[in-house]
Amino acid sequence: MNLFALIPLAAFLINGFTFTYIYAQRKRSPVNMAFFLLSGAIGCWLVLDIALYMPVPESWIIPLLKAKSVFWLSAGFLFLNFTVVFIRRRRSALYFGTALLSGIFIITTLGSALLIQGYRQYGWGVTEEPGPLFKPAIIIVFFPALLYAVAITIKEYRAGGDRVYKNQLLLLMSGACISVMTGFTTDYLLPHLMGMDTMRLSGASSVPLSFFTYIAVLKYRFLSPGVEDLAPVVFDFFNEGSVVIDPSGKVLNLNRGALKIFKLETEPAGLSIRELIPGYPSTPPPTGEELRMDAAGGGRKLSLRHYPLPGVITGGRTIIIVRDITRHRMMEDARLKGELLLLDVFSSIQDGLVVMDNDYRIIRANPTVERWGADHMP
């Protein structure tokens, strides 16, 4: 047995432990599914790394190297996808471009020798003999996706938000940066730019990302069920809509009632409360106090009540209870118009008219009666 195989094996066990721990949380949200895809790709990458460190038939080596390239070519995009889903950012042209290029290079490496044209045997294991498109694949696909993911994470961190969320971002960013720099140094900088035949550790370099993710799960309930997940479950039993927002005003979740009120099919990513409700005040009203506003597009009236959630884990989030009061408002307007019409008719009659209660007390008189007995009217 090649003792160097213990390095990717240890990395596989650490990544597998983090995957299993998060899977055991039984939270099947989009961000968790994105993490499972990323972690699964890294796990397959490490399994193939282990196989290449073992004594295998020579006819297996090129297929194993090409199979491994499928996962490292897709890992950059999968990490970008995980980051975009986690910070609820709208998918940009760069996101779709990275996905397209990853697919093109994966098809190329499987169907030709343009990325991997052979292999080299070293004392520590086997590595690929790079083809003419090997370096462009790393430069165009892998590292740009990772760097873009780190860049938007830094931007999100600087944009503010609650302390728990920012600590989650900081841990994610730290793990990603350490993993990227380790993999870049051992698999690209030293062997391809400096000509040093060092051991390739790009697969094993995922350990810092996995470790920091695990710390975020333990300390800050990263990828665990949070208030934005529990709120829709609770409030789906009611007709009112519930909207969960963070301190910066970003919409974290809408229950089915809110989706119906705002006429949405699914939860839009990266939506702020001011986009959802134009004119939403920068300073919300006191807890439980009703705020009436127009819905987007006009024509409908909404009633909003704010309930800040206490505690560190909630991270300063707020639940807004939303009711569509358009019909109620229309009825109020109709009643008011009816009262005004009755008052106009009552005042225009030239004969004297009075309205009395059951105790014969005068509660209303028209102007004619007021002119007749101005000195005796209450």
Side-chain angles (χ1 to χ4, degrees):
M1 176 181 176
N2 186 352
L3 293 179
F4 289 102
L6 294 176
I7 296 176
L9 177 60
F12 175 78
L13 293 175
I14 292 171
N15 280 280
F17 175 79
T18 303
F19 180 98
T20 304
Y21 187 87
I22 295 174
Y23 185 83
Q25 304 292 320
R26 297 185 179 275
K27 177 185 174 184
R28 302 296 179 263
S29 66
V31 64
N32 282 54
M33 298 309 296
F35 175 79
F36 294 149
L37 284 174
L38 172 62
S39 184
I42 293 174
C44 293
W45 180 357
L46 290 169
V47 167
L48 293 168
D49 257 347
I50 296 169
L52 288 166
Y53 281 106
M54 305 301 290
V56 296
E58 289 190 10
S59 59
W60 291 17
I61 294 178
I62 294 296
L64 286 173
L65 287 170
K66 288 192 172 186
K68 188 179 81 167
S69 70
V70 170
F71 296 106
W72 66 255
L73 281 169
S74 61
F77 167 72
L78 291 176
F79 180 73
L80 174 60
N81 176 65
F82 167 65
T83 305
V84 167
V85 174
F86 173 59
I87 66 177
R88 297 173 179 265
R89 188 182 183 92
R90 292 186 176 93
R91 291 168 172 81
S92 64
L94 184 57
Y95 172 91
F96 292 107
T98 302
L100 178 62
L101 288 173
S102 296
I104 291 173
F105 276 102
I106 287 172
I107 294 172
T108 302
T109 191
L110 292 176
S112 71
L114 292 175
L115 269 81
I116 300 172
Q117 60 184 10
Y119 66 91
R120 296 176 184 175
Q121 186 79 44
Y122 295 98
W124 46 264
V126 176
T127 187
E128 62 278 322
E129 179 70 35
L133 292 182
F134 184 82
K135 291 181 181 179
I138 296 175
I139 295 172
I140 296 174
V141 177
F142 188 70
F143 284 112
L146 292 175
L147 294 176
Y148 177 61
V150 172
I152 61 177
T153 304
I154 294 174
K155 183 178 179 181
E156 181 74 7
Y157 180 86
R158 296 180 64 182
D162 61 84
R163 184 175 63 86
V164 172
Y165 179 60
K166 292 186 70 173
N167 286 334
Q168 291 174 351
L169 288 174
L170 183 60
L171 286 169
L172 176 64
M173 185 168 49
S174 301
C177 288
I178 295 173
S179 294
V180 169
M181 293 308 298
T182 303
F184 177 77
T185 302
T186 61
D187 279 44
Y188 186 76
L189 180 63
L190 295 180
H192 297 293
L193 296 184
M194 301 181 67
M196 300 173 63
D197 292 326
T198 57
M199 185 178 178
R200 310 299 194 262
L201 295 175
S202 56
S205 67
S206 62
V207 169
L209 175 61
S210 181
F211 175 75
F212 280 97
T213 301
Y214 179 67
I215 295 300
V217 171
L218 283 183
K219 193 169 183 180
Y220 300 109
R221 300 188 61 81
F222 181 53
L223 303 181
S224 301
V227 64
E228 63 269 26
D229 305 296
L230 299 177
V233 176
V234 175
F235 287 100
D236 271 348
F237 291 101
F238 303 94
N239 292 326
E240 289 83 0
S242 72
V243 181
V244 182
I245 63 172
D246 67 10
S248 66
K250 180 187 289 186
V251 175
L252 301 178
N253 216 315
L254 299 94
N255 73 340
R256 287 181 295 182
L259 291 174
K260 183 178 179 181
I261 289 174
F262 294 109
K263 299 181 179 179
L264 299 172
E265 295 293 332
T266 58
E267 292 185 41
L271 189 69
S272 72
I273 188 65
R274 291 173 184 82
E275 293 175 302
L276 190 65
I277 307 174
Y280 183 85
S282 56
T283 303
T287 301
E289 183 175 310
E290 185 182 38
L291 175 66
R292 295 192 175 189
M293 302 195 68
D294 293 327
R300 294 188 303 125
K301 302 293 183 181
L302 302 178
S303 169
L304 313 177
R305 294 183 186 272
H306 298 70
Y307 297 94
L309 298 170
V312 175
I313 295 300
T314 61
R317 291 168 171 81
T318 298
I319 289 183
I320 304 175
I321 305 301
V322 185
R323 292 174 56 235
D324 188 338
I325 58 170
T326 305
R327 292 186 62 185
H328 178 72
R329 187 64 179 269
M330 291 173 62
M331 293 174 63
E332 284 187 348
D333 292 343
R335 180 177 61 83
L336 181 59
K337 289 179 181 179
E339 289 183 353
L340 292 174
L341 177 62
L342 178 62
L343 181 60
D344 289 341
V345 173
F346 193 73
S347 300
S348 62
I349 297 176
Q350 299 301 315
D351 296 326
L353 290 176
V354 294
V355 177
M356 295 184 294
D357 60 17
N358 292 333
D359 296 324
Y360 300 103
R361 291 192 296 263
I362 296 176
I363 58 177
R364 178 173 295 179
N366 70 347
T368 303
V369 175
E370 291 179 358
R371 288 195 301 270
W372 289 347
D375 296 336
H376 306 285
M377 294 295 293

